[in-house]
Amino acid sequence: MIENASDVRELEAAARRVRGKVIEMSCRAGTAHLASSLSCVDILVAAYWGILRIDPKDPRSPDRDRLILSKGHAISSLYAVLAYRGFFPVERLERYNQPGSGLPEQPSPGCVPGLEAATGSLGHGLPLGAGMALAARILGRSYRVFVVMSDGECNEGSVWEAAMFAAGRGLGNVTVVVDYNKWQATDRSEAVMALKPLRQKWESFGWSASEADGHDVGALVRSLSRLPEPGKPTAIIAHTVKGKGVSFMEDDNNWHYQSPSRAQLKEALKELGLA
């Protein structure tokens, strides 16, 4: 848990390191989804550094908190976070998306320590998370379940089926964070589906919902640590910017599929204060 400004600065520095590594991984591997990965970095850093009860030396502890990155196309961010948190060596990231590396562009089951679920086909993370949360109740365990999903993922009917299930079962131990970067693969999210008003939609499904600046790690930690309303699942609508952290990538949807050149990598690392 963060307690002062120094702790916040430490998390912000961790987020810069993760962003730099994610951009480097995309450049080396020539992979897509860079901007989507950058938008959720602060959410993951707030969770893994400030909230989750986890032990990298015991990644399968039955009492650990669970986090499911439902937007599996942004997995490079989670790989980098897990490596910097000590689940596996940071050097392993250099083999991202290489055959036999165990770091595929879309995560496979148990491919690295600390990864809770294979994701990528959107709309499956919350159903999984609701099941894990119900299992905690049945087994008498106190762990919490967090699901990070994209705003475009809210197009999926399975999300709202799971939302009704979680509310119906009173699963107060599950929290959704929507990475609301306002873009989908080919257009603005609002142009594809009528998402607004997103917070009120979650509330109407029986959830306790709030909004947050998805790049303010201190505010995110405070939101994630807030005790849930008894018997109510929690949704946090985190307003983010696709490509966050690098001026020539921010809010430019060309970076959904584009990977950076060596020159662009150098420029990005300079902006992040890493070169």
Side-chain angles (χ1 to χ4, degrees), residues 2 5-23 37-38 40-50 76-86 90 93 215 217 221 244 269 272-274:
I2 61 171
S6 175
D7 293 336
V8 172
R9 286 195 294 273
E10 184 179 334
L11 265 60
E12 290 171 342
R16 284 195 296 275
R17 288 196 300 273
V18 170
R19 282 195 165 89
K21 185 59 70 177
V22 166
I23 297 167
S37 300
L38 294 175
C40 64
V41 166
D42 299 297
I43 298 168
L44 295 176
V45 167
Y48 277 87
W49 269 264
S76 58
S77 289
L78 183 55
Y79 287 153
V81 163
L82 291 173
Y84 280 119
R85 280 291 279 117
V90 173
L93 298 172
H215 299 305
V217 287
V221 170
K244 178 66 178 178
L269 294 178
L272 290 166
L274 301 173

Side-chain angles (χ1 to χ4, degrees), residues 13-273:
R16 284 195 296 275
R17 288 196 300 273
V18 170
R19 282 195 165 89
K21 185 59 70 177
V22 166
I23 297 167
E24 184 183 308
M25 291 161 65
S26 176
C27 177
R28 182 184 294 112
T31 50
H33 304 132
L34 174 57
S36 303
S37 300
L38 294 175
S39 70
C40 64
V41 166
D42 299 297
I43 298 168
L44 295 176
V45 167
Y48 277 87
W49 269 264
I51 297 296
L52 296 178
R53 295 175 300 168
I54 50 173
D55 180 359
K57 295 179 181 176
D58 189 11
R60 302 301 297 172
S61 168
D63 293 317
R64 72 192 184 282
D65 288 338
R66 277 78 165 161
L67 186 143
I68 299 170
L69 181 63
S70 192
K71 48 176 292 184
H73 55 286
I75 191 62
S76 58
S77 289
L78 183 55
Y79 287 153
V81 163
L82 291 173
Y84 280 119
R85 280 291 279 117
F87 283 89
F88 58 88
V90 173
E91 293 74 20
R92 187 173 171 184
L93 298 172
E94 295 178 6
R95 299 187 62 217
Y96 170 58
N97 204 38
Q98 292 182 15
S101 68
L103 297 168
E105 193 176 0
Q106 300 280 352
S108 56
C111 62
V112 291
L115 186 90
E116 295 291 347
T119 52
S121 183
L122 298 174
H124 293 166
L126 182 53
L128 279 169
M132 290 177 178
L134 181 60
R137 175 189 295 172
I138 293 170
L139 296 170
R141 298 193 182 280
S142 62
Y143 66 76
R144 296 178 67 188
V145 181
F146 298 84
V147 179
V148 178
M149 62 171 59
S150 66
D151 52 352
E153 193 172 357
C154 293
N155 296 359
E156 303 283 351
S158 55
V159 168
W160 300 106
E161 291 179 37
M164 287 187 285
F165 175 84
R169 298 300 178 101
L171 298 177
N173 56 344
V174 64
T175 295
V176 158
V177 184
V178 179
D179 175 11
Y180 197 6
N181 65 29
K182 323 296 189 302
W183 279 106
Q184 299 186 22
T186 57
D187 208 341
R188 288 285 186 187
S189 298
E190 194 62 22
V192 178
M193 289 279 193
L195 288 180
K196 294 179 181 176
L198 193 52
R199 176 176 59 80
Q200 289 86 340
K201 280 186 170 67
W202 285 94
E203 287 174 338
S204 71
F205 274 69
W207 288 54
S208 173
S210 61
E211 299 184 51
D213 179 343
H215 299 305
D216 183 335
V217 287
L220 286 168
V221 170
R222 288 191 293 275
S223 294
L224 289 167
S225 61
R226 196 171 298 134
L227 292 176
E229 291 183 43
K232 265 194 170 185
T234 301
I236 299 170
I237 313 303
H239 293 275
T240 60
V241 175
K242 202 165 181 175
K244 178 66 178 178
V246 180
S247 62
F248 58 89
M249 296 180 184
E250 288 189 357
D251 206 35
D252 180 353
N253 211 35
N254 288 306
W255 290 97
H256 187 85
Y257 290 115
Q258 187 176 341
S259 58
S261 65
R262 296 295 301 179
Q264 288 169 324
L265 169 63
K266 185 177 180 180
E267 187 176 348
L269 294 178
K270 185 177 180 181
E271 281 196 20
L272 290 166

